[in-house]
Amino acid sequence: MSEKVLMQKKTRERLLTAGDGCAFISGLLLSALPIETSWWLLLLLFSFFYVRKRKEMILLSIACIGGTMLFYPDQLIEIVLLSGCVCAWMLVMQLLKRPSYKTLPWFLMLMSGGVAYAVSEPVSKIIVLMLGQFILALDTYRDCGWIRKELQLPDAVYGSLIFIAGLLLMQILNQEYFALLIFVFMLMSVKPAVSILFYLYLEMLMPGLITPVAFGFLLLVSLLQDQPLAMNGLMLVGIAAQGFDFIAIVQGLVLLLLFDLLRTSELPFKGMMERVALSDMNRIAVMNRQLNNFSVIFENLADYYASLSEVESEMLETMAKALSYTANNCTRHQIDVEKRKDQLLDFLDGYKIDVVSCLLEENEEGCIYLELELKELPRSEVEATLMPLLNHVLPTRMELVEKKNNRNYSGLFHYSFISSAPIMIDAYADSIRHDSQACGDSFSIFRYSRFVLCMISDGMGSGEAASRISRSITAIFQRMIASNIPQVEAIRCINKLILSDNYATFDVLNFDRFKKTVTVSKSAACPTYLIRADEVYEINGSSLPVGIVASIEVDSIHVEVEKGDWFLMSSDGIYVDEIYRWIHQRRLGSAKEEVDAMMEILREKERNDDSTILLAQIK
């Protein structure tokens, strides 16, 4: 996914989301049950979708009212009154500028007690309904992180939807035992406290359906749901207790198998990715351990050869470092975002910025999207204080794209940030051979993550030997950069690996498209020319060629780039006057067009050496 797609995804609302669909389906399910069964579920679900998004609340209302008109038209007034009470309470909280999530559990508890009393429920049932509603609401509103994130249902809401589906199955299938098994297995996907509450509700709705012994058995199964072996054993005992009813036993065994499959897969809209993530991290940990083992082997060999041959010892030590770099970075893609998020939160905490929730995403191109819920930090403070901090901590420059006051939480501000639009690099290169032999110059334009690397290597002399060493340098360097080995360390490593009678120059421009910088490294390479507006700047280095001595100091020059900049790299077969002639005659076309124009200038003279030109334009 490119940064353009990610920006569009985050800065523009989709017409329908998973939350919209879930709210609509919830409304349809509620409308299919009689009001005396579903009113307490309506209170919880309506308040949940109201707090999440007003659009989701409207969709739930439309589906619920429409379904009620179809199934139970005489109950329409009760549905409207219950929904109106929740809306009125939310509006009162907004007018009083009080956080609604702190008051909703108490309101829903009192509302449940009032409704239960109005319909003449017994005192014991009123108490159970009030306490149950309070516990479910506390589970739903214990934090506000889920409001701005992708739909992730709390256990109480997820259990409510499963409960409704179970009741409908009992009505449709007209087989209490089979439907009850489905209901029990489905409830195993939520936490024990929630599932136990719904068992109590089921007993109140259908007295005698669950005997005290069966309820104790279900309670034990719920408590053991995180221990599959013990829970499956108990379920088998329960199925066997049905006697010799063959159909009931087969149904139970099939459902037990389905439940085991359900537990090991990701449930829709529920955060159950831990098992998958753990599996991936285990595989990565094995790879990391293997690479580190090989690194240690090469270190031991380097120690052994230290007294025999200094050159071989340094080569082995360099290879050990390369493997170590790769091992340390092989988990980078999986853990860097969380690590960066933790660093950001620690940093903001040090500046006394109160962060309620944080969502950080980074795509493969290096584009970062950040959402922050902050307490008492107005926009003026964000621009003056927060933005410089984000630009210091995060690897890309950030822009504020959205600011909202949370209507349900007084003093809480929601901010969305995204990496500033990256620069685009239009690069092209070409070579002219000195004679009919292989060209001793090699060039490469390599795009990796948010980086664009432009390279020229000029092997000593010309012909096949020069071509071989220059090709090897550019190819190995690309692989090292793709393995997250730092640029300077990669060049030092290559220098030791190819140390021999042959050597080569090496010239690198490493553009970071999001930071809008370029890092220049030169090993005995010709000057790089930066053409900005009407000014021409030479960038020179002082490092030795690659492969000539065992240890070299690598140049590393950092330059901030601007749109419209041109960078020109060349090998030593090109004369300075030819470069300046092209600068004065350039037509500001594409990089390919300008390289072609430069080639025409070079072909006017007979070449005494292989000649390579590489142009990169910042757009």
Side-chain angles (χ1 to χ4, degrees):
M1 182 172 59
S2 67
E3 64 274 7
K4 183 177 180 181
V5 173
L6 183 58
M7 290 177 189
Q8 290 175 347
K9 171 188 170 187
K10 296 300 181 180
T11 57
R12 185 175 62 194
E13 286 282 340
R14 287 173 290 180
L15 185 60
L16 287 176
T17 65
D20 299 336
C22 186
F24 190 81
I25 293 172
S26 300
L28 291 177
L29 291 174
L30 283 168
S31 67
L33 292 175
I35 189 66
E36 59 268 15
T37 301
S38 64
W39 63 265
W40 57 276
L41 294 167
L42 173 66
L43 291 175
L44 180 67
L45 293 176
F46 190 87
S47 64
F48 170 76
F49 286 108
Y50 187 104
V51 173
R52 262 189 59 83
K53 285 185 181 179
R54 195 164 292 175
K55 184 174 73 168
E56 293 176 2
M57 178 270 293
I58 293 172
L59 287 171
L60 181 140
S61 301
I62 292 172
C64 190
I65 291 173
T68 301
M69 293 175 66
L70 179 64
F71 299 117
Y72 304 101
D74 57 324
Q75 298 178 0
L76 183 60
I77 295 177
E78 289 90 339
I79 295 290
V80 173
L81 284 174
L82 289 171
S83 304
C85 288
V86 177
C87 285
W89 180 260
M90 301 295 285
L91 291 173
V92 169
M93 290 298 99
Q94 290 180 41
L95 291 174
L96 296 176
K97 295 184 178 181
R98 296 289 304 276
S100 56
Y101 76 101
K102 290 184 178 180
T103 59
L104 269 173
W106 297 98
F107 168 74
L108 292 177
M109 181 182 72
L110 295 174
M111 186 78 182
S112 297
V115 174
Y117 180 79
V119 297
S120 303
E121 295 285 3
V123 176
S124 59
K125 191 172 181 179
I126 293 175
I127 293 173
V128 171
L129 284 171
M130 291 179 67
L131 292 178
Q133 189 75 276
F134 184 76
I135 292 170
L136 293 177
L138 277 181
D139 178 76
T140 302
Y141 303 111
R142 66 182 182 273
D143 60 54
C144 59
W146 44 266
I147 295 174
R148 293 292 179 183
K149 298 179 182 179
E150 291 296 321
L151 181 64
Q152 184 174 335
L153 300 179
D155 272 21
V157 175
Y158 205 84
S160 298
L161 297 178
I162 293 175
F163 186 82
I164 297 171
L167 293 177
L168 290 174
L169 280 173
M170 288 185 183
Q171 293 181 8
I172 295 170
L173 296 175
N174 199 26
Q175 295 184 30
E176 287 189 351
Y177 170 69
F178 184 58
L180 179 60
L181 275 178
I182 295 176
F183 175 78
V184 170
F185 282 129
M186 291 175 71
L187 280 180
M188 290 296 111
S189 61
V190 299
K191 65 180 64 171
V194 174
S195 60
I196 291 169
L197 275 174
F198 284 110
Y199 294 149
L200 288 173
Y201 284 143
L202 185 62
E203 174 61 22
M204 287 191 302
L205 290 174
M206 301 178 181
L209 182 63
I210 304 178
T211 65
V213 174
F215 178 75
F217 174 78
L218 293 174
L219 174 62
L220 188 58
V221 170
S222 295
L223 295 174
L224 294 175
Q225 63 175 270
D226 291 331
Q227 301 178 35
L229 187 61
M231 190 191 66
N232 286 345
L234 279 173
M235 295 302 294
L236 287 172
V237 170
I239 293 170
Q242 300 300 315
F244 295 99
D245 187 341
F246 177 75
I247 295 178
I249 291 175
V250 170
Q251 289 175 342
L253 292 174
V254 170
L255 287 171
L256 180 60
L257 176 62
L258 290 175
F259 174 65
D260 279 337
L261 294 175
L262 179 68
R263 282 193 308 103
T264 56
S265 62
E266 181 186 0
L267 296 177
F269 309 129
K270 255 185 132 267
M272 295 186 68
M273 294 294 289
E274 291 83 0
R275 295 186 184 91
V276 177
L278 182 60
S279 176
D280 289 341
M281 291 305 294
N282 284 339
R283 287 196 295 270
I284 294 167
V286 171
M287 184 188 300
N288 182 288
R289 187 166 59 251
Q290 290 173 341
L291 289 172
N292 273 312
N293 287 339
F294 281 112
S295 175
V296 173
I297 290 171
F298 279 105
E299 285 180 358
N300 291 332
L301 289 173
D303 291 339
Y304 173 74
Y305 276 96
S307 60
L308 303 176
S309 171
E310 184 178 350
V311 173
E312 279 80 357
S313 176
E314 289 184 354
M315 288 177 61
L316 290 166
E317 185 179 354
T318 301
M319 293 175 72
K321 287 183 179 179
L323 286 169
S324 180
Y325 273 122
T326 305
N328 292 334
N329 284 283
C330 68
T331 57
R332 177 180 177 182
H333 183 70
Q334 285 75 16
I335 66 174
D336 257 11
V337 173
E338 286 302 317
K339 187 176 179 181
R340 187 168 288 140
K341 177 180 173 181
D342 292 340
Q343 290 174 344
L344 174 63
L345 293 176
D346 290 342
F347 197 76
L348 295 180
D349 183 61
Y351 279 84
K352 307 302 180 184
I353 296 176
D354 194 351
V355 181
V356 176
S357 66
C358 174
L359 172 66
L360 182 68
E361 295 180 0
E362 182 175 354
N363 68 2
E364 294 179 355
E365 297 290 329
C367 180
I368 293 176
Y369 176 76
L370 173 67
E371 286 188 6
L372 291 174
E373 293 269 3
L374 306 174
K375 286 186 178 179
E376 306 296 342
L377 193 72
R379 180 160 184 162
S380 58
E381 286 294 319
V382 169
E383 294 174 347
T385 305
L386 183 60
M387 290 296 293
L389 294 178
L390 294 181
N391 291 332
H392 176 74
V393 176
L394 299 176
T396 70
R397 296 178 182 176
M398 305 298 291
E399 292 180 356
L400 178 63
V401 294
E402 184 183 36
K403 180 257 182 183
K404 289 182 181 178
N405 294 338
N406 194 311
R407 68 177 188 275
N408 298 304
Y409 305 91
S410 178
L412 196 63
F413 298 89
H414 172 77
Y415 297 101
S416 298
F417 305 88
I418 200 165
S419 297
S420 57
I423 57 174
M424 304 304 293
I425 312 295
D426 178 21
Y428 193 76
D430 202 356
S431 293
I432 298 178
R433 287 186 294 181
H434 165 52
D435 50 33
S436 58
Q437 299 182 41
C439 182
D441 294 351
S442 293
F443 61 83
S444 176
I445 299 168
F446 175 55
R447 300 178 186 272
Y448 169 69
S449 184
R450 67 175 186 265
F451 304 103
V452 177
L453 289 97
C454 301
M455 296 165 277
I456 293 179
S457 180
D458 182 2
M460 182 186 67
S462 60
E464 185 58 37
S467 175
R468 189 184 307 114
I469 190 171
S470 63
R471 286 199 315 268
S472 297
I473 289 173
T474 55
I476 295 172
F477 183 76
Q478 285 184 190
R479 298 299 177 185
M480 287 186 166
I481 293 297
S483 299
N484 298 311
I485 297 176
Q487 181 171 326
V488 171
E489 290 296 328
I491 296 175
R492 287 175 179 164
C493 181
I494 293 171
N495 175 71
K496 292 180 179 179
L497 290 174
I498 67 168
L499 185 62
S500 64
D501 294 335
N502 293 326
Y503 57 87
T505 67
F506 193 38
D507 199 2
V508 181
L509 295 181
N510 187 355
F511 293 97
D512 187 324
R513 297 187 302 117
F514 283 99
K515 283 189 174 181
K516 301 178 182 177
T517 62
V518 61
T519 302
V520 184
S521 292
K522 290 183 171 294
S523 295
C526 296
T528 295
Y529 294 88
L530 165 58
I531 306 156
R532 178 172 293 170
D534 295 328
E535 300 291 330
V536 180
Y537 304 91
E538 283 191 16
I539 303 174
N540 292 284
S542 57
S543 179
L544 294 171
V546 174
I548 195 170
V549 294
S551 180
I552 60 173
E553 291 298 324
V554 180
D555 296 318
S556 184
I557 305 164
H558 299 274
V559 179
E560 292 191 2
V561 301
E562 299 175 4
K563 288 188 176 181
D565 285 353
W566 283 84
F567 286 84
L568 185 149
M569 305 167 68
S570 65
S571 64
D572 58 6
I574 297 176
Y575 301 108
V576 175
D577 62 315
E578 294 173 320
I579 293 174
Y580 276 91
R581 180 181 166 190
W582 167 79
I583 291 173
H584 294 305
Q585 294 179 359
R586 62 196 177 103
R587 299 183 292 272
L588 298 179
S590 66
K592 183 181 185 307
E593 291 171 343
E594 295 299 329
V595 168
D596 291 342
M598 184 68 181
M599 288 293 106
E600 292 179 8
I601 296 174
L602 298 181
R603 291 190 179 97
E604 293 177 2
K605 294 181 180 179
E606 184 177 349
R607 313 313 299 176
N608 297 322
D609 195 359
D610 299 322
S611 304
T612 299
I613 189 80
L614 190 152
L615 284 173
Q617 180 188 14
I618 312 301
K619 291 185 174 181

